[in-house]
Amino acid sequence: MANERLRGAITEANLTIEQVATRIGVDPKTVERWINMPRRKPYRRFQYAIASLLQQDVSYLWPDEATSEEVAQTGNAELVKLYPHRSVVPNTAWPKLYAKATHHFDVLVYSGFWLTEDAAFHCIVKEKSAAGVPVRFLLGDPDCEAVAQRGADEGIGSAMGLKIRNALLNYAGFFGLPGVEFRLHSTVLYNSLYRADDEMLANGHLYGVGAYMAPVLHLQRIPGGELFDSYAESFERIWETARRITSPTDLRGTIA
């Protein structure tokens, strides 16, 4: 059966399928499939976008989905700990986190310079590489506009790009290791993400403030949770559009 609730909500909002598709950034045929083929449900981010656009609850449009209250409760359960500033996170937290990695070892930063000087972290990268764990580093393109703007916002100017170049040099020994890959991104970085399997440290960013003074969420994926997956999906979207580099000075790289 078709999703008549979704069809009716679109009509009630005085919108067409084409308008809904444009607002949330998908093809109109995709919206039609969501209506006529209810088993083809949207990703959660699109469910929320449509629900917000139509001023309906996700659980009304897709009754087998969790209610907003249930989603909120599960999200709270995913939060292991909140640190008010990255600077108060124990130095051992990152090596301890990545020591658990067996299938996901991801780093998303602009420079993450402080981590490049952590000897314990360097040892773990090499250990995980030798164990066959894929290690993915996403650093900012030091020449891109987003990095320049972040440097200006934090009052350090060109030092932001220089920190990235220095970070890459500190990681020089990782290039060529089995399973270790570096890419450069040009996105506006809302969060620095440090993921090991189903645990993650998410360092938010505040305008005009260095990341070391911004909050850090320690998250752990649990069944039915969405908070962890939302951050993990953002990493994947950036990874897909980033440029692969094969040496610390190969800043032009290739589109992955």
Side-chain angles (χ1 to χ4, degrees):
M1 294 178 60
N3 187 337
E4 296 299 341
R5 289 188 178 186
L6 178 55
R7 191 198 307 277
I10 293 173
T11 301
E12 185 178 343
N14 293 318
L15 295 172
T16 65
I17 288 176
E18 289 74 17
Q19 289 171 323
V20 171
T22 299
R23 298 278 188 91
I24 66 172
V26 299
D27 189 275
K29 291 183 179 179
T30 299
V31 179
E32 290 177 356
R33 284 194 291 269
W34 292 338
I35 294 173
N36 298 319
M37 304 170 64
R39 292 186 179 181
R40 298 282 296 274
K41 292 190 298 184
Y43 289 121
R44 290 294 283 182
R45 65 179 182 273
F46 290 132
Q47 289 181 2
Y48 283 123
I50 293 174
S52 176
L53 175 63
L54 302 180
Q55 298 185 344
Q56 300 286 348
D57 194 277
V58 169
S59 61
Y60 170 77
L61 298 175
W62 293 277
D64 56 340
E65 294 292 337
T67 66
S68 298
E69 182 177 355
E70 290 170 337
V71 171
Q73 291 175 347
T74 307
N76 288 334
E78 289 184 276
L79 180 61
V80 177
K81 189 168 184 176
L82 168 64
Y83 297 95
H85 311 293
R86 195 192 72 201
S87 58
V88 302
V89 180
N91 291 336
T92 57
W94 277 268
K96 183 177 179 180
L97 173 77
Y98 284 115
K100 303 174 184 179
T102 59
H103 54 279
H104 282 287
F105 188 126
D106 299 332
V107 177
L108 168 62
V109 292
Y110 270 153
S111 72
F113 185 76
W114 55 277
L115 194 59
T116 74
E117 297 185 317
D118 188 325
F121 177 72
H122 278 246
C123 288
I124 290 173
V125 171
K126 294 174 182 177
E127 290 173 3
K128 294 304 176 180
S129 168
V133 178
V135 178
R136 300 188 293 178
F137 285 97
L138 261 175
L139 276 69
D141 181 340
D143 298 317
C144 77
E145 182 178 348
V147 166
Q149 186 62 54
R150 179 59 58 84
D153 293 342
E154 294 187 9
I156 62 173
S158 61
M160 179 63 72
L162 294 174
K163 286 171 64 177
I164 296 172
R165 295 174 188 273
N166 199 344
L168 289 168
L169 291 174
N170 287 352
Y171 284 148
F174 296 160
F175 285 86
L177 288 180
V180 177
E181 184 173 350
F182 283 83
R183 294 188 184 183
L184 299 180
H185 69 92
S186 302
T187 65
V188 176
L189 190 64
Y190 300 106
N191 298 275
S192 293
L193 302 179
Y194 309 87
R195 178 187 181 181
D197 295 350
D198 290 338
E199 285 192 65
M200 178 187 299
L201 294 169
N203 184 189
H205 293 290
L206 303 174
Y207 179 79
V209 177
Y212 69 96
M213 286 296 292
V216 173
L217 306 179
H218 182 179
L219 304 175
Q220 183 165 6
R221 174 187 272 151
I222 63 173
E226 298 180 2
L227 188 57
F228 181 99
D229 286 343
S230 294
Y231 284 104
E233 287 175 10
S234 72
F235 180 97
E236 297 300 336
R237 288 195 290 273
I238 297 173
W239 182 259
E240 290 171 1
T241 60
R243 297 201 319 274
R244 182 173 182 269
I245 60 173
T246 56
S247 79
T249 57
D250 173 33
L251 300 184
R252 292 188 177 183
T254 57
I255 299 298

